[in-house]
Amino acid sequence: TSGSVKCWGEGFHGQLGNGATANQNTPVDVVATGGSGTLTDITQIAAGSYHTCALTTSGSVKCWGYGYYGQLGNGATANQNTPVDVVATGGSGTLTDVTSITAGGYHTCALTTSGGAKCWGESFFGQLGNNDTTNQNTPVDVVATGGTGTLTDITQITAGGIHTCALTTSSGAKCWGSGLSGRLGNGATANQNTPVDVVATGGSGTLTNITQITAGGSHTCALTTSGSVKCWGHGASGQLGNNDTTNLNTPVDVVATGGTGTLTNITQITAGNTHTCALTTSGSVKCWGHGASGQLGSNDTANQTAPVNVTASGQQPGLPATLAVTVTDDTGTWTLGRVVLGTR
């Protein structure tokens, strides 16, 4: 609430921003640019694979951590364990007029007040959207669909592992970068270094009525105005939520919990590397996809091809409470075992 930032976890590349490279299993303060004092006046943060960026109240951006591909946007490729300013397009001055940021695997993008987008970092797959595949250590403009002019009708931007997607003012979606597994949603699997339109379910026409978009490691999902969810791309772990594990290069509807019907009453979505989660209108959470590390929150580690409910902590309704009872009598002490006390 004070506008400062705290980070924890792996710090080898300086991604914690505390002036060191040691891992931290409790939160540490991100220091100010230059390494003295504490970073303040921050309104949003975005974490990539090994780098972190922050949006300031003045509309500028600061980044720290792994910089090899230029993803820190400061005109260099060295790692930084304290925040550095992202420079303006062209490399002179400071980037300003930014309203939101997103960090991919090794690239970063920003939405500007004019509805345009700027990206920097790794570009091997075209994920910077500037009609090139050369890495950039300063921001470049994302070009318009077709490769001429500048993209100007964006309201949200989201970076995946090696692809990027955006929500348009007309409630459509555009994606660019790696097309492997169909994650761009344009009906193909070729890489695209300029934005392409996401097509409608079934592959005909253009996807519309979208209110939010989220890019995962190799898949993408969109929230519709009706509260349903559509996903496309890599589906091997069930992360598309359509009760299947097939890759899809056009959007499909996420099914309801249980695998029949369509998931509805969703207000927010977020995609991880190989799983997806959604917030419902009632305040509950549903997840689907890869579950081996427990990332679905369903008290299970199995993959799920349809949404499952995230369970609350501790004892759950309907599960028996048990207790080991020890009994002592004149013949000695013995354990009665696990006695079911009842259900609730």
Side-chain angles (χ1 to χ4, degrees), residues 67-216:
Y68 179 81
Y69 296 98
Q71 61 263 54
L72 303 186
N74 65 325
T77 54
N79 294 353
Q80 299 288 338
N81 57 23
T82 60
V84 291
D85 289 315
V86 175
V87 300
T89 299
S92 177
T94 303
L95 182 65
T96 58
D97 298 325
V98 173
T99 60
S100 69
I101 54 174
T102 182
Y106 301 105
H107 72 293
T108 314
C109 294
L111 177 66
T112 69
T113 53
S114 64
K118 295 174 181 284
C119 296
W120 56 95
E122 186 191 32
S123 187
F124 181 80
F125 301 94
Q127 59 264 51
L128 302 188
N130 66 323
N131 206 16
D132 197 356
T133 55
T134 304
N135 296 347
Q136 301 288 339
N137 57 25
T138 60
V140 291
D141 289 314
V142 176
V143 300
T145 299
T148 60
T150 303
L151 193 63
T152 58
D153 61 344
I154 299 303
T155 60
Q156 186 211 336
I157 189 166
T158 177
I162 49 178
H163 75 293
T164 313
C165 292
L167 178 67
T168 71
T169 52
S170 61
S171 300
K174 296 175 182 285
C175 294
W176 57 94
S178 173
L180 188 65
S181 304
R183 70 197 75 182
L184 302 184
N186 65 325
T189 56
N191 296 349
Q192 299 288 339
N193 56 24
T194 61
V196 290
D197 289 316
V198 176
V199 300
T201 299
S204 177
T206 304
L207 186 64
T208 58
N209 299 321
I210 300 302
T211 62
Q212 187 201 343
I213 190 166
T214 180

